[in-house]
Amino acid sequence: MDNRSTLKSWIEESRRIVFFGGAGVSTESGIPDFRSQDGLYHQQYDYPPETILSHSFFYANTEEFYRFYRAKMLCLTAQPNRAHLALARLEEQGKLSAIVTQNIDGLHQAAGSKRVYELHGSVHRNYCRKCGKAYTAEDILHSTGIPRCTCGGLIKPDVVLYEEGLDSDTIQGSVMAIAQADLLIVGGTSLTVYPAAGLLQYYRGHRLVLINRDATPLDTRADLVLRDPIGQVLGDAVLGS
């Protein structure tokens, strides 16, 4: 049995699947990742993306932060791809118990998934730092300069910037889901971003699947490794070719 056939049979046999994903899940929707050769970290800006997307830079250089953020982080025309749709189908069938994602684009929810743990937040939630009023991603995209609330307060995206901690409830939910999974599928992630990548240590099962175009630190621990595009792999396994 080849790797794809094995994955399909494991999915059919499982009842508590958890999917753990990163930026590679959304590249097939046209959203750039960070660490590949054509990713954001290899492009030239006045400041490195890691600096711009930090807590201290946000408050010290807010206008420059938002210039980069609007141009590179708000890909609001992107649509869910076959990976997102396949995972939504598995949840609908009662086979997928949770998605744990490092992405902030909201494409899992757009595809119909309900139980999504967003480790790094979402561009679709934005709040006034002064009064707490909520704003949409469209509000931010169509604003100019530094977006301000009607009360005059500074609006901040509900995304986890460098130097900020992850939400404790999101972490707890992710850990419980991973610990109870009978199949853990990891896709589109280099597994080099911590503490997110460290959550995989809570998996106690014997079916760990890695779908990623490049090698990861967990390849030797995985029970199944696939190097093909994740939308193609999950789409064919769940939705049919």
Side-chain angles (χ1 to χ4, degrees), residues 58 65-66 69 122-123 125-127 140 155-159:
F58 175 81
F65 169 91
Y66 269 113
Y69 184 80
S122 172
V123 299
R125 298 186 299 268
N126 304 271
Y127 300 103
I140 302 302
I155 300 170
K156 182 180 183 293
D158 187 21
V159 298

Side-chain angles (χ1 to χ4, degrees), residues 62 70 128 135 140 143-155:
T62 311
R70 289 188 190 97
C128 172
Y135 289 86
I140 302 302
S143 65
T144 56
I146 299 173
R148 294 280 178 185
C149 177
T150 50
C151 79
L154 172 64
I155 300 170

Side-chain angles (χ1 to χ4, degrees), residues 137-228:
E138 287 79 8
D139 292 332
I140 302 302
L141 182 63
H142 299 305
S143 65
T144 56
I146 299 173
R148 294 280 178 185
C149 177
T150 50
C151 79
L154 172 64
I155 300 170
K156 182 180 183 293
D158 187 21
V159 298
V160 179
L161 302 176
Y162 289 98
E163 304 165 355
E164 294 180 346
L166 304 189
D167 177 74
S168 59
D169 289 341
T170 303
I171 288 287
Q172 186 176 7
S174 301
V175 167
M176 288 183 64
I178 290 171
Q180 294 167 4
D182 58 4
L183 170 61
L184 178 59
I185 303 174
V186 179
T189 172
S190 60
L191 293 176
T192 57
V193 177
Y194 283 80
L199 297 180
L200 301 187
Q201 69 182 308
Y202 293 99
Y203 180 55
R204 296 291 178 259
H206 301 288
R207 289 180 169 180
L208 173 60
V209 179
L210 289 184
I211 310 171
N212 199 55
R213 70 180 185 181
D214 301 317
T216 78
L218 255 69
D219 283 8
T220 54
R221 187 190 149 191
D223 302 293
L224 193 63
V225 177
L226 296 100
R227 292 272 179 258
D228 303 309

